[in-house]
């Protein structure tokens, strides 16, 4: 880890994401801008991301599909929708599909940062909970196992922690 | 596969199939009720008519047979009676010697013997060959010596072959109703006759008694129909209107008498004399069972009809109620759909606008943010002049994008009130193509014009038509951007019925069936950000529609598309004023357009 939050930005408005990427980079984000859903999935398969900022209306794969696929493939990624095409229906749908937040363009920088922060917090929390549960389960199950066996399992668990 | 669409088809599924009014259902109810009634009642009616007919015939036959047998029985008894009376007279003649009979006293004894046989005998008289009453026994002694040679019975008896004669009831010299039984005998070459008179009262009683027919009566009539079974004055006796000719068969006939009563009558002729036994019964009574049966069946039928009517009424009400509620449900669904479609279209429009405007706004916001960031010492990132210029350019571009959207929206909204005039289409087409000429050359697109000569004018606004054509040409050239083969646009004009058409054909990517349904919707686009707003066809459709025309599309994926604009030929009268309905028509079509 570089110590920066790894953020995937998906939007077909190239100028917009480029500028946004510049600005978020200044704020200690490690931003990867892509202009289509397909490109986003490819990027996510190559590199682990903490968060994704996804537009809804794009030619080709829609934002909602990107959201679903990302959530299915990478359980710990938090996806935030950022769209100019806001409607309550689509907001509800995206929340159901597992998006952490739903923001409307143009979005104030403070608000965006706030949501990104909360989303990141959520991700960390979930990851930690997950590890804790795993360890507890492991301990419970392995009360009779040899210390060496436990050690091996814990090591596995740590490796599993990342997406 | 070729995909086709007439832009109007988008709206049409909603406009047909309206719900029906109350009058429609009343009509159905009435018709259904009649049909059901007829369907149920006809067989019932037919069946009962057949049964009734059959029953009537059988019953009539039965009645007639009965009447006949009564008449024949009566004939036989009367016949027997008369034969006996004749035999009485004959035997008196034969067993007594003639001289003995000359004495009225002796004759009185013979009468007494005869009266023992039958009380109907009144008197007895002996007639000489020249017709004089020589001897007499009975109450009318004054008749003695009277000359009967001119009396009809006497002459008849002398004349005929039969040795006896029975007369009709008549008054005769005694002025009392009676009939006679006379017999003749040749004695020593001279014809003597013996005559007994019979009391018609007794005879009548005998005839009319013991008849096996309720309310019926037995009578005797002669050939003329004059009743012989009457006690009163023969001159005033009843005369039957009709008597069949003498025969052996018993006849049954319905006869109306002078007193207006209609009788069913059986006639049986006697052989002894020209009398017929008539058994009669008023038709009304004879056929009473038929009438009763008819009344009963009418009663039953009426009841059945009433029942059926109630049944049909309820059935009809139920069926129509079901129809009505189905129709209502359909109507409800239709209006809900309509509303949903309208809401969706307004919502779609709004989100479309929001998207198109918010995107450039977001760009502006971020560029401004970037500049602001560069001024913030915290980030320590000053912008280079070049960077700043780029940001500003982005802001200006985004602003222009926003403006182009709003102006297109305005065009979309404003298309209603423009000046129209009879216009030739050729100059418009030429102008638009010349505008695009350079661009087409650069992109390697060939333009082919096939314009029909001497086309009539159309009533349009030429600026708007230019806009429409420009939209179509832009779409075609956009559709051919990725095409590697031939890039060609053909513009063809012509006349079809009352319309002028302008067809724009390209060799572009084509429109899929799925997209075909949406291409006329505002904001539907398959093009890149900033390249297409999806308003071109929506605006064009509105304009063409307002001019009273239509747009048809056919397309094949990978081969190309053809958009055909049809415009009605301008009629000279319509130059100054616009068709009043177009405004409304256009509005509804806008709905139709957005609805899906
Ligand atoms: N000639 C054509 N060939 C293939 N597709 C077409 C053609 N014309 C229109 N389309 C399809 O219909 C869509 C809607 O067209 P429309 O003209 O309404 O909007 P647009 O061209 O995308 O944007 P705008 O015209 O507002 O710049 C297009 O995005 C395209 O997918
Ligand atoms: Mg267009």
């Amino acid at each position: 880890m570089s110590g920066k939050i790894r953020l995937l930005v998906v939007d077909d408005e190239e100028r917009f994401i480029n500028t946004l990427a510049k600005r978020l980079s200044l704020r200690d984000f490690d931003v990867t801008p892509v202009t289509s859903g397909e490109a986003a999935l490819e990027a996510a398969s190559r590199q682990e991301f903490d968060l994704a900022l996804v537009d809804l209306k794009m030619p080709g794969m829609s934002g909602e599909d990107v959201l679903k696929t990302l959530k299915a493939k990478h359980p710990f990624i938090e996806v935030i929708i950022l769209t100019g095409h806001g409607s309550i229906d689509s907001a509800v749908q995206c929340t159901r599909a597992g998006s952490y937040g739903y923001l409307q363009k143009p979005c104030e920088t403070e608000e965006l940062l706030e949501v990104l922060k909360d989303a990141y917090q959520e991700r960390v929390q979930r990851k930690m909970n997950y590890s804790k549960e795993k360890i507890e389960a492991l301990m419970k199950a392995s009360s009779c196992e040899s210390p060496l066996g436990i050690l091996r399992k814990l090591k596995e668990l740590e490796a599993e922690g990342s997406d | 596969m070729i995909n086709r669409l007439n832009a109007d088809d988008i709206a049409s599924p909603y406009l047909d199939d309206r719900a029906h009014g109350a009058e429609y259902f009343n009509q159905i109810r009435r018709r259904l009720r009649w049909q059901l009634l007829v369907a149920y009642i006809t067989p019932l009616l037919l069946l009962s008519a057949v049964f009734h007919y059959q029953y009537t015939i059988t019953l009539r036959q039965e009645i007639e047979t009965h009447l006949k047998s009564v008449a024949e029985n009566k004939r036989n008894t009367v016949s027997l009676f008369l034969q006996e009376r004749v035999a009485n007279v004959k035997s008196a003649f034969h067993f007594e010697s003639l001289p003995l009979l000359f004495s009225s006293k002796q004759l009185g004894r013979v009468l007494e013997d005869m009266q023992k046989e039958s009380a109907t005998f009144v008197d007895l008289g002996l007639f000489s060959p020249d017709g004089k009453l020589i001897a007499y026994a009975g109450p009318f002694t004054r008749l003695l010596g009277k000359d009967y040679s001119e009396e009809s019975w006497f002459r008849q008896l002398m004349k005929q072959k039969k040795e006896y004669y029975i007369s009709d009831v008549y008054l005769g010299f005694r002025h009392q109703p009676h009939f006679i039984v006379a017999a003749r005998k040749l004695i020593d070459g001279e014809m003597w006759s013996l005559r007994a008179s019979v009391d018609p009262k007794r005879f009548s009683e005998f005839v009319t008694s013991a008849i096996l027919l309720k309310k019926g009566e037995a009578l005797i009539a002669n050939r003329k129909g004059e009743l012989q079974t009457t006690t009163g004055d023969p001159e005033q006796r009843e005369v039957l209107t009709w008597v069949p000719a003498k025969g052996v068969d018993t006849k049954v006939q319905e006869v109306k008498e002078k007193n207006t009563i209609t009788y069913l009558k059986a006639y049986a002729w006697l052989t002894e004399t020209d009398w017929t036994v008539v058994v009669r019964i008023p038709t009304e009574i004879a056929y009473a069972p038929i009438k009763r049966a008819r009344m009963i069946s009418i009663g039953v039928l009426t009841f059945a009809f009433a029942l059926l009517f109630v049944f049909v009424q309820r059935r009809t009400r139920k069926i129509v109620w079901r129809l009505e509620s189905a129709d209502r449900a359909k109507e409800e669904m239709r209006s809900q759909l309509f509303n949903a479609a309208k809401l969706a279209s307004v919502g779609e429009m709004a989100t479309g606008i929001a998207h198109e405007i918010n995107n450039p706004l977001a760009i502006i916001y971020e560029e401004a943010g970037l500049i602001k960031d560069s001024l913030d010492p915290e980030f320590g990132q000053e912008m280079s002049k070049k960077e700043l210029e780029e940001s500003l350019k982005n802001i200006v571009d985004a602003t222009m994008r926003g403006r182009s959207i709003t102006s297109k929206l305005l065009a979309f909204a404003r298309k209603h009130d423009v000046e129209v005039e009879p216009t030739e289409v050729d100059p418009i087409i030429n102008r638009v193509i010349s505008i695009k000429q350079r661009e087409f050359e650069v992109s390697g697109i060939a333009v082919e014009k096939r314009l029909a000569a001497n086309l009539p004018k159309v009533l349009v606004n030429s600026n708007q038509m230019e806009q429409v054509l420009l939209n179509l040409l832009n779409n075609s050239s956009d559709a051919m951007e990725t095409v590697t083969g031939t890039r060609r646009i053909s513009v063809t004009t012509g006349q079809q019925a009352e319309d002028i058409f302008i067809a724009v054909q390209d060799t572009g990517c084509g429109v899929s069936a799925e997209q075909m349904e949406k291409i006329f919707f505002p904001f539907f686009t398959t093009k890149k950000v900033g390249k297409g707003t999806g308003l071109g066809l929506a605006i064009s459709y509105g304009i063409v529609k307002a001019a009273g025309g239509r747009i048809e599309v056919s397309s094949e994926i990978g081969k190309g598309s053809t958009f055909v604009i049809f415009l009605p030929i301008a009629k000279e009268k319509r130059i100054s004023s616009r068709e009043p309905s177009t405004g409304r028509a256009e509005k509804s079509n806008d709905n139709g357009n957005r609805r899906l």
Side-chain angles (χ1 to χ4, degrees):
Chain A
M1 275 202 203
S2 60
K4 285 186 177 182
I5 297 172
R6 294 159 300 179
L7 174 66
L8 179 64
V9 180
V10 195
D11 197 322
D12 58 334
E13 295 269 358
E14 211 173 331
R15 283 182 185 171
F16 172 71
I17 49 171
N18 286 342
T19 318
L20 188 68
K22 270 187 212 159
R23 296 197 62 216
L24 289 176
S25 300
L26 290 177
R27 289 162 174 82
D28 274 350
F29 282 86
D30 174 10
V31 185
T32 309
V34 288
T35 55
S36 77
E38 290 82 357
L41 294 185
E42 204 203 297
S45 70
R46 262 190 277 110
Q47 188 206 326
E48 189 185 345
F49 288 101
D50 300 314
L51 303 174
L53 203 56
V54 180
D55 182 21
L56 278 184
K57 202 182 163 208
M58 294 180 287
M61 206 174 175
S62 80
E64 214 179 309
D65 291 340
V66 175
L67 159 70
K68 283 176 188 158
T69 324
L70 277 181
K71 286 300 269 188
K73 284 194 182 157
H74 314 281
F76 293 110
I77 198 167
E78 288 300 340
V79 180
I80 295 146
I81 302 294
L82 178 60
T83 181
H85 179 263
S87 78
I88 294 177
D89 268 358
S90 77
V92 169
Q93 239 164 312
C94 292
T95 311
R96 250 188 225 140
S99 80
Y100 181 80
Y102 190 94
L103 296 171
Q104 185 121 26
K105 278 187 202 172
C107 178
E108 277 185 64
T109 316
E110 284 70 34
E111 195 188 348
L112 178 62
L113 287 174
E114 189 74 20
V115 173
L116 286 173
K117 179 204 84 188
D118 289 347
Y120 187 67
Q121 219 168 348
E122 173 75 14
R123 172 185 155 91
V124 172
Q125 198 97 51
R126 279 205 0 245
K127 251 180 124 161
M128 269 160 57
N129 283 349
Y130 177 81
S131 307
K132 216 167 111 196
E133 275 165 30
K134 266 284 164 89
I135 292 166
E136 273 166 11
L138 189 72
M139 288 318 194
K140 226 182 254 169
S142 57
S143 49
C144 51
E145 254 178 77
S146 68
L148 212 66
I150 296 171
L151 210 66
R152 213 169 285 139
K153 288 222 163 126
L154 277 172
K155 198 76 200 144
E156 269 172 32
L157 204 76
E158 205 188 356
E160 205 182 282
S162 52
D163 285 335
Chain B
M1 183 187 60
I2 299 178
N3 304 313
R4 280 177 202 288
L5 180 80
N6 176 344
D8 288 346
D9 292 347
I10 304 167
S12 55
Y14 294 99
L15 298 177
D16 295 344
D17 216 20
R18 294 215 55 92
H20 305 291
E23 185 43 39
Y24 174 82
F25 286 107
N26 280 338
Q27 207 176 321
I28 284 192
R29 191 176 295 128
R30 277 197 295 271
R31 211 177 319 147
L32 198 66
R33 193 189 298 143
W34 278 116
Q35 279 167 357
L36 279 179
L37 274 179
V38 167
Y40 285 129
I41 284 174
T42 311
L44 196 67
L45 223 52
L46 269 172
L47 214 68
S48 49
V50 166
F51 274 127
H52 188 76
Y53 178 70
Q54 210 56 42
Y55 179 73
T56 309
I57 285 182
T58 322
L59 210 67
R60 259 174 205 264
Q61 275 169 357
E62 217 166 86
I63 291 165
E64 285 178 10
T65 316
H66 183 56
L67 208 61
K68 249 186 207 177
S69 80
V70 170
E72 278 165 7
N73 272 338
K74 192 48 95 184
R75 195 254 323 265
N76 292 344
T77 47
V78 172
S79 182
L80 200 65
F81 172 85
L82 291 177
Q83 277 167 23
E84 274 172 10
R85 296 300 73 81
V86 168
N88 288 153
V89 176
K90 271 186 174 171
S91 66
F93 217 180
H94 286 287
F95 293 118
E96 309 290 335
S97 65
L98 186 64
L100 220 62
L101 288 177
F102 283 177
S103 111
S104 291
K105 216 166 152 201
Q106 186 60 30
L107 208 59
R109 254 195 11 256
V110 174
L111 178 64
E112 251 169 59
D113 284 347
M114 278 166 67
Q115 278 173 336
K116 263 178 219 150
E117 294 264 333
S118 170
T120 53
F121 285 120
V122 178
D123 60 8
L124 195 61
L126 182 69
F127 293 82
S128 65
D130 58 357
K132 283 234 170 66
L133 182 58
I134 291 175
Y136 177 82
F140 307 103
T141 43
R142 62 185 161 88
L143 299 177
L144 205 62
K146 274 213 184 298
D147 182 3
Y148 281 83
S149 60
E150 290 306 313
E151 287 294 292
S152 75
W153 70 265
F154 185 78
R155 287 164 52 163
Q156 193 71 36
L157 181 66
M158 290 298 132
K159 200 169 67 187
Q160 70 183 21
K161 229 170 81 192
K162 230 166 29 175
E163 287 191 318
Y164 67 92
Y165 177 78
I166 300 167
S167 77
D168 286 352
V169 175
Y170 71 115
L171 291 176
F173 290 129
R174 70 189 70 175
H175 299 292
Q176 287 277 326
H178 68 289
F179 71 90
I180 55 139
V181 177
R184 63 170 197 232
K185 198 181 179 190
L186 196 63
I187 300 168
D188 299 333
E190 281 180 320
M191 192 65 81
W192 293 82
S193 16
L194 188 62
R195 180 198 81 169
S197 65
V198 180
D199 176 5
K201 197 174 165 205
R202 291 267 173 88
F203 176 66
S204 289
E205 276 166 13
F206 169 77
V207 172
T208 51
S209 71
I211 174 174
L212 280 168
L213 198 63
K214 235 202 279 172
K215 303 255 177 165
E217 52 184 340
L219 311 162
I220 285 179
N222 62 9
R223 273 182 200 273
K224 292 183 204 146
E226 292 160 349
L227 283 198
Q228 304 304 312
T229 42
T230 174
T231 48
D233 182 352
E235 308 295 322
Q236 275 153 37
R237 65 195 155 187
E238 190 187 341
V239 178
L240 302 182
T241 28
W242 181 84
V243 171
K246 186 165 179 175
V248 260
D249 287 342
T250 314
K251 272 227 153 65
V252 176
Q253 188 78 29
E254 216 170 300
V255 180
K256 190 164 180 179
E257 291 299 353
K258 284 197 203 90
N259 54 8
T260 73
I261 298 177
T262 306
Y263 291 98
L264 192 64
K265 290 180 179 174
Y267 302 87
W269 283 95
L270 291 161
T271 46
E272 290 72 23
T273 179
D274 287 349
W275 286 356
T276 175
V277 169
V278 181
V279 172
R280 67 176 184 187
I281 179 167
T283 324
E284 212 174 280
I285 290 161
Y287 292 148
I290 295 176
K291 207 170 160 191
R292 206 173 322 125
R294 192 177 299 156
M295 290 317 284
I296 289 174
S297 55
I298 285 175
V300 169
L301 274 180
T302 313
F303 181 68
F305 287 171
L307 225 74
L308 266 179
F309 193 78
V310 170
F311 171 76
V312 163
Q313 193 76 7
R314 297 180 104 183
R315 193 88 224 138
T316 319
R317 207 175 300 148
K318 203 161 181 181
I319 291 171
V320 172
W321 179 80
R322 248 187 239 151
L323 266 178
E324 241 173 333
S325 58
D327 198 63
R328 215 177 308 122
K330 201 171 78 187
E331 164 69 357
E332 249 161 47
M333 210 150 88
R334 203 182 70 86
S335 68
Q336 271 169 16
L337 242 163
F338 193 85
N339 280 338
K342 220 159 42 181
L343 276 182
S345 66
V346 172
E348 231 164 71
M349 184 90 182
T351 49
I353 297 169
H355 185 257
E356 294 305 314
I357 305 267
N358 280 339
N359 273 328
L361 284 183
I363 293 173
I364 295 167
Y365 182 84
E366 292 308 330
E367 296 298 347
L370 194 63
I371 296 167
K372 207 169 123 201
D373 287 349
S374 75
L375 298 178
D376 196 332
E378 191 193 325
F379 296 119
Q381 277 275 332
E382 283 206 19
M383 280 174 109
S384 67
K385 194 168 169 251
K386 200 174 148 254
E387 279 174 327
L388 193 62
E389 265 173 4
E390 201 193 315
S391 272
L392 289 174
K393 183 182 175 291
N394 283 349
I395 290 174
V396 171
D397 283 354
T399 317
M400 295 323 275
R401 224 176 103 191
R403 194 189 70 170
S404 99
I405 289 152
T406 48
S407 61
K408 274 187 187 177
L409 268 176
L410 281 179
F412 187 71
R414 203 182 34 216
K415 71 208 166 203
H416 307 278
D417 35 53
V418 287
E419 295 284 312
V420 292
E421 55 186 349
T423 314
E424 280 177 36
V425 290
D426 283 14
I428 298 177
I429 294 167
N430 288 330
R431 220 175 308 143
V432 174
I433 289 178
S434 73
I435 292 171
K436 296 293 285 183
Q437 198 65 49
R438 265 298 302 147
E439 204 180 298
F440 286 161
E441 270 165 26
V442 171
S443 333
I445 296 171
V447 180
E448 203 177 75
K449 278 191 283 184
R450 280 179 295 204
L451 308 184
N454 300 324
L455 276 183
K457 291 177 177 179
V458 288
L459 198 67
V460 291
N461 175 284
S462 55
N463 281 335
Q464 282 192 330
M465 277 329 288
E466 273 172 30
Q467 204 182 329
V468 170
L469 275 174
L470 205 59
N471 277 330
L472 294 186
L473 291 182
N474 280 340
N475 284 347
S476 288
S477 77
D478 287 346
M480 290 188 288
E481 210 159 61
T482 54
V483 170
T484 46
T486 334
R487 294 181 174 185
R488 190 182 57 237
I489 297 176
S490 334
V491 180
T492 316
T493 61
Q495 186 175 349
Q496 196 187 70
E498 296 289 289
D499 294 326
I500 291 293
F501 68 83
I502 306 168
V504 178
Q505 188 172 16
D506 63 52
T507 56
C509 58
V511 185
S512 73
E514 185 194 345
Q515 285 173 358
M516 185 67 90
E517 293 190 352
K518 300 182 194 157
I519 56 173
F520 287 95
F521 293 176
F523 298 112
F524 175 79
T525 180
T526 55
K527 291 169 193 170
K528 280 226 200 87
V529 168
K531 185 109 191 25
T533 49
L535 285 172
L537 284 178
I539 292 169
S540 303
Y541 173 74
I543 290 170
V544 172
K545 202 65 210 167
R550 64 185 196 277
I551 302 181
E552 285 180 10
V553 190
S554 69
S555 181
E556 198 170 349
I557 291 282
K559 288 237 169 114
S561 321
T562 311
F563 284 71
V564 190
I565 304 163
F566 290 89
L567 294 166
I569 294 167
K571 301 200 173 70
E572 292 311 314
K573 276 185 207 145
R574 283 167 57 193
I575 294 174
S576 51
S577 69
R578 296 194 58 193
E579 223 181 20
S581 65
T582 42
R584 234 187 310 131
E586 185 185 76
K587 225 167 236 156
S588 73
N589 283 315
D590 281 350
N591 280 343
N593 208 357
R594 278 184 236 118
R595 190 179 290 143
L596 281 170

